[in-house]
Amino acid sequence: MKIHKLRLKRLQLAEEDAKKYNMDIRFLWLSSLSPNSRKCHVIRHGQVYTVKNIIDFYSNKENIKDCTCSFSEVINGDVPEKLLTRINKQKEEWIKENS
């Protein structure tokens, strides 16, 4: 639960900074893609979300439990295609190996 509180604090601080500097940011979701990752977390890997989207996802307490996902701030619309292609390939490989 401590990790979850740190995640929420990080989101809050990033959102405050974005407003302060008039930046439109989103968060690139990064699943750990470990063997015990839940599919609903892996599906989010490589997708870009708002703070509200992330908080809504974590409002389901089951999504918090043992979650090892992270996210990286990105300027909205500025995620390089090459990165997204690589991340989506990782996700597809995980799904293939764990289905």
Side-chain angles (χ1 to χ4, degrees), residues 3-4 7 28-49 54 56-71 87-88 90-92 94-95:
I3 291 173
H4 179 65
R7 270 191 205 111
L28 178 65
W29 191 280
L30 302 166
S31 169
S32 64
L33 300 177
S34 62
N36 62 337
S37 292
R38 288 168 283 185
K39 194 169 184 177
C40 64
H41 291 244
V42 172
I43 289 170
R44 297 174 75 85
H45 185 71
Q47 302 297 313
V48 178
Y49 295 96
I54 295 171
D56 288 348
F57 179 78
Y58 283 128
S59 68
N60 178 340
K61 300 294 182 202
E62 283 300 308
N63 290 334
I64 298 170
K65 188 178 177 191
D66 299 324
C67 175
T68 55
C69 296
S70 65
F71 27 79
I87 288 173
N88 284 321
Q90 292 171 333
K91 176 173 52 178
E92 289 167 10
W94 184 94
I95 290 171

